[in-house]
């Protein structure tokens, strides 16, 4: 089994920045594909970003591209997402996800491709 633990989210003002991290333990490998999804109240879960396990290739959701950056700590089972220029519409519960598989770029955004999920952490963007 793989356990994923997200860092605490928080309250951020519009235009501000926040960094979330996700630590994987158990059978997790530093070559796992890891991703972030989010879910706002009353909405479906949305893909945010992913980083492929075998080559570190990133993929971003359209709504965050250019504002968020996903990265992996070298040789560690930890992935982070740096969120900048935050907007009220970024308010959501953010979930970390992982899989041992390596997908083509198009499939990296599909939540069905991930086998392990964290508990989620709340991010609120408000003034």
């Amino acid at each position: 089994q793989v356990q994923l633990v997200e860092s605490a989210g928080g309250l951020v003002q519009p235009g501000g920045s926040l960094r979330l991290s996700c630590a994987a333990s158990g059978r997790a490998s530093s070559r796992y594909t890891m991703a972030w999804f989010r879910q706002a109240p009353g909405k479906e879960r949305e893909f945010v970003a992913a980083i492929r396990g075998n080559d570190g290739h990133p993929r971003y959701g359209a709504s965050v591209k250019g504002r968020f950056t996903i990265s992996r700590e070298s040789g560690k089972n930890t992935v982070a997402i740096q969120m900048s220029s935050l907007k009220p519409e970024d308010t959501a519960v953010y979930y970390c996800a992982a899989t041992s598989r390596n997908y083509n770029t198009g499939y990296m955004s599909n939540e069905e491709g991930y086998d392990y999920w964290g508990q989620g952490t709340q991010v609120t963007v408000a003034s």
Side-chain angles (χ1 to χ4, degrees):
Q1 282 293 334
V2 173
Q3 294 79 42
L4 302 176
V5 179
E6 298 103 341
S7 61
L11 172 64
V12 185
Q13 291 190 342
S17 299
L18 185 67
R19 182 178 183 272
L20 299 178
S21 63
C22 173
S25 61
R27 295 177 57 191
S29 163
S30 61
R31 294 177 67 82
Y32 271 33
T33 294
M34 297 183 73
W36 289 92
F37 291 79
R38 67 187 182 185
Q39 188 166 23
K43 294 188 177 182
E44 294 186 352
R45 190 149 56 185
E46 175 190 18
F47 170 72
V48 176
I51 187 164
R52 194 157 56 200
N54 60 347
D55 61 3
H57 175 70
R59 165 113 193 247
Y60 295 95
S63 62
V64 307
K65 196 169 185 178
R67 300 188 297 123
F68 291 13
T69 302
I70 191 170
S71 62
R72 187 194 300 270
E73 291 192 29
S74 180
K76 296 184 180 180
N77 298 342
T78 301
V79 66
I81 187 161
Q82 178 67 43
M83 304 184 290
S84 303
S85 302
L86 283 162
K87 306 174 182 179
E89 49 264 44
D90 293 317
T91 296
V93 177
Y94 284 70
Y95 296 93
C96 178
T99 178
S100 61
R101 300 174 179 85
N102 292 289
Y103 299 124
N104 60 43
T105 301
Y107 198 73
M108 288 170 68
S109 61
N110 191 328
E111 63 178 88
E112 294 185 355
Y114 294 88
D115 304 302
Y116 308 103
W117 292 83
Q119 297 281 4
T121 187
Q122 177 69 47
V123 172
T124 301
V125 184
S127 54

